[in-house]
Protein backbone atom coordinates (compact mmCIF):
# COMPACT_ATOMS: atom_id res chain seq x y z
CA UNK A 1 0.00 0.00 0.00
CA UNK A 2 1.63 3.29 -1.08
CA UNK A 3 2.01 5.90 1.64
CA UNK A 4 1.12 8.96 -0.44
CA UNK A 5 -0.73 7.33 -3.28
CA UNK A 6 -4.47 7.25 -3.53
CA UNK A 7 -7.03 5.42 -5.49
CA UNK A 8 -9.04 8.61 -6.01
CA UNK A 9 -10.20 9.08 -9.55
CA UNK A 10 -12.76 11.80 -10.29
CA UNK A 11 -15.77 11.00 -12.36
CA UNK A 12 -16.07 12.40 -15.84
CA UNK A 13 -18.28 15.49 -16.08
CA UNK A 14 -21.34 15.16 -18.25
CA UNK A 15 -21.37 17.17 -21.49
CA UNK A 16 -22.95 20.61 -21.25
CA UNK A 17 -26.37 21.35 -22.56
CA UNK A 18 -27.21 24.22 -24.88
CA UNK A 19 -26.25 27.60 -23.38
CA UNK A 20 -29.74 29.03 -23.25
CA UNK A 21 -33.09 27.97 -24.48
CA UNK A 22 -34.50 31.42 -23.73
CA UNK A 23 -35.11 33.94 -26.47
CA UNK A 24 -34.64 36.93 -24.12
CA UNK A 25 -31.13 37.56 -25.44
CA UNK A 26 -32.69 38.40 -28.81
CA UNK A 27 -34.88 41.19 -27.36
CA UNK A 28 -33.81 44.83 -27.28
CA UNK A 29 -32.75 46.51 -24.04
CA UNK A 30 -36.03 48.21 -23.11
CA UNK A 31 -38.03 45.00 -23.59
CA UNK A 32 -35.51 43.05 -21.49
CA UNK A 33 -35.76 45.66 -18.71
CA UNK A 34 -39.54 45.30 -18.70
CA UNK A 35 -39.44 41.50 -18.84
CA UNK A 36 -36.64 40.97 -16.31
CA UNK A 37 -37.29 43.95 -14.05
CA UNK A 38 -33.87 45.57 -14.44
CA UNK A 39 -34.99 49.03 -13.28
CA UNK A 40 -33.19 49.27 -9.96
CA UNK A 41 -33.87 52.88 -9.00
CA UNK A 42 -31.43 55.05 -7.06
CA UNK A 43 -29.07 53.32 -4.61
CA UNK A 44 -29.78 54.10 -0.98
CA UNK A 45 -27.89 53.36 2.21
CA UNK A 46 -28.79 53.77 5.87
CA UNK A 47 -25.97 54.98 8.15
CA UNK A 48 -26.45 55.84 11.81
CA UNK A 49 -30.17 56.28 11.34
CA UNK A 50 -29.80 58.62 8.38
CA UNK A 51 -30.76 57.57 4.88
CA UNK A 52 -28.54 58.63 1.96
CA UNK A 53 -29.38 58.47 -1.75
CA UNK A 54 -26.92 58.49 -4.65
CA UNK A 55 -28.05 61.21 -7.07
CA UNK A 56 -26.06 62.87 -9.85
CA UNK A 57 -22.79 61.34 -8.71
CA UNK A 58 -23.08 62.41 -5.05
CA UNK A 59 -24.53 60.98 -1.87
CA UNK A 60 -27.40 63.18 -0.72
CA UNK A 61 -29.14 62.96 2.65
CA UNK A 62 -32.78 62.01 2.46
CA UNK A 63 -34.56 64.87 4.26
CA UNK A 64 -37.35 62.74 5.67
CA UNK A 65 -34.98 60.26 7.28
CA UNK A 66 -33.17 62.52 9.75
CA UNK A 67 -33.96 61.20 13.21
CA UNK A 68 -31.90 63.74 15.17
CA UNK A 69 -33.10 66.86 16.88
CA UNK A 70 -34.01 69.72 14.52
CA UNK A 71 -32.55 72.25 16.95
CA UNK A 72 -29.25 70.37 16.89
CA UNK A 73 -29.23 70.48 13.09
CA UNK A 74 -29.93 74.23 13.11
CA UNK A 75 -27.16 74.75 15.68
CA UNK A 76 -24.72 72.78 13.52
CA UNK A 77 -25.68 74.77 10.41
CA UNK A 78 -25.19 78.05 12.31
CA UNK A 79 -21.81 76.88 13.62
CA UNK A 80 -20.82 75.78 10.12
CA UNK A 81 -21.71 79.22 8.75
CA UNK A 82 -19.71 80.93 11.52
CA UNK A 83 -16.69 78.77 10.77
CA UNK A 84 -16.95 79.52 7.05
CA UNK A 85 -17.09 83.26 7.76
CA UNK A 86 -14.11 82.98 10.11
CA UNK A 87 -12.23 81.00 7.47
CA UNK A 88 -12.95 83.68 4.85
CA UNK A 89 -11.76 86.41 7.25
CA UNK A 90 -8.54 84.50 7.97
CA UNK A 91 -7.91 84.02 4.25
CA UNK A 92 -8.38 87.76 3.73
CA UNK A 93 -5.91 88.49 6.55
CA UNK A 94 -3.36 86.14 5.02
CA UNK A 95 -3.73 87.89 1.66
CA UNK A 96 -3.23 91.31 3.29
CA UNK A 97 -0.16 90.05 5.17
CA UNK A 98 1.33 88.59 2.00
CA UNK A 99 0.75 91.89 0.19
CA UNK A 100 2.43 93.78 3.03
CA UNK A 101 5.35 91.36 3.03
CA UNK A 102 5.86 91.65 -0.71
CA UNK A 103 5.69 95.46 -0.51
CA UNK A 104 8.24 95.55 2.32
CA UNK A 105 10.53 93.15 0.48
CA UNK A 106 10.35 95.27 -2.68
CA UNK A 107 11.15 98.42 -0.69
CA UNK A 108 14.07 96.66 1.01
CA UNK A 109 15.50 95.58 -2.35
CA UNK A 110 15.17 99.14 -3.68
CA UNK A 111 16.94 100.55 -0.62
CA UNK A 112 19.76 98.01 -0.95
CA UNK A 113 20.14 98.91 -4.61
CA UNK A 114 20.25 102.65 -3.80
CA UNK A 115 22.81 102.01 -1.04
CA UNK A 116 25.02 100.06 -3.44
CA UNK A 117 24.77 102.87 -6.00
CA UNK A 118 25.71 105.46 -3.37
CA UNK A 119 28.68 103.34 -2.25
CA UNK A 120 29.90 102.97 -5.81
CA UNK A 121 29.42 106.71 -6.42
CA UNK A 122 31.43 107.54 -3.29
CA UNK A 123 34.24 105.19 -4.39
CA UNK A 124 34.45 106.92 -7.76
CA UNK A 125 34.79 110.35 -6.12
CA UNK A 126 37.83 109.29 -4.11
Amino acid sequence: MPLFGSNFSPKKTPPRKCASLSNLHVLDRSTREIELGLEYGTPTVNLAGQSLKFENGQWVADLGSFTGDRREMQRLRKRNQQLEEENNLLRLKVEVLLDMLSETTAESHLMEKELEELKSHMRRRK
Side-chain angles (χ1 to χ4, degrees), residues 1 6 13 17 19 33 40-42 48 50 52 60 64 68 70-71 73 75 82-86 96 99-100 115 126:
M1 181 166 134
S6 74
T13 57
K17 295 181 180 178
E33 285 179 358
Y40 299 118
T42 58
Q50 186 174 5
L52 301 170
V60 179
R70 297 286 179 201
R71 283 178 267 137
M73 190 164 53
R75 186 187 68 77
Q82 288 173 348
L83 290 174
E84 285 178 357
E85 289 174 358
E86 183 180 349
V96 169
D99 288 345
M100 290 170 60
L115 184 61
K126 288 184 179 181

Side-chain angles (χ1 to χ4, degrees), residues 4-49:
F4 294 107
S6 74
N7 293 333
F8 177 74
S9 62
K11 295 181 180 177
K12 300 282 183 182
T13 57
R16 294 183 182 206
K17 295 181 180 178
C18 183
S20 175
L21 298 176
S22 172
N23 63 353
L24 290 176
H25 66 279
V26 180
L27 300 175
D28 65 342
R29 181 178 176 187
S30 60
T31 309
R32 274 187 290 180
E33 285 179 358
I34 293 169
E35 290 291 326
L36 300 175
L38 296 177
E39 185 61 40
Y40 299 118
T42 58
T44 59
V45 69
N46 190 2
L47 294 173

Side-chain angles (χ1 to χ4, degrees), residues 82-118:
Q82 288 173 348
L83 290 174
E84 285 178 357
E85 289 174 358
E86 183 180 349
N87 192 17
N88 289 339
L89 178 65
L90 291 173
R91 285 183 184 177
L92 181 65
K93 286 182 178 182
V94 166
E95 286 293 322
V96 169
L97 287 173
L98 286 174
D99 288 345
M100 290 170 60
L101 178 64
S102 61
E103 183 180 339
T104 306
T105 304
E107 288 176 0
S108 172
H109 285 297
L110 284 174
M111 287 180 167
E112 286 177 4
K113 196 173 189 180
E114 287 178 13
L115 184 61
E116 289 297 323
E117 287 177 3
L118 284 174

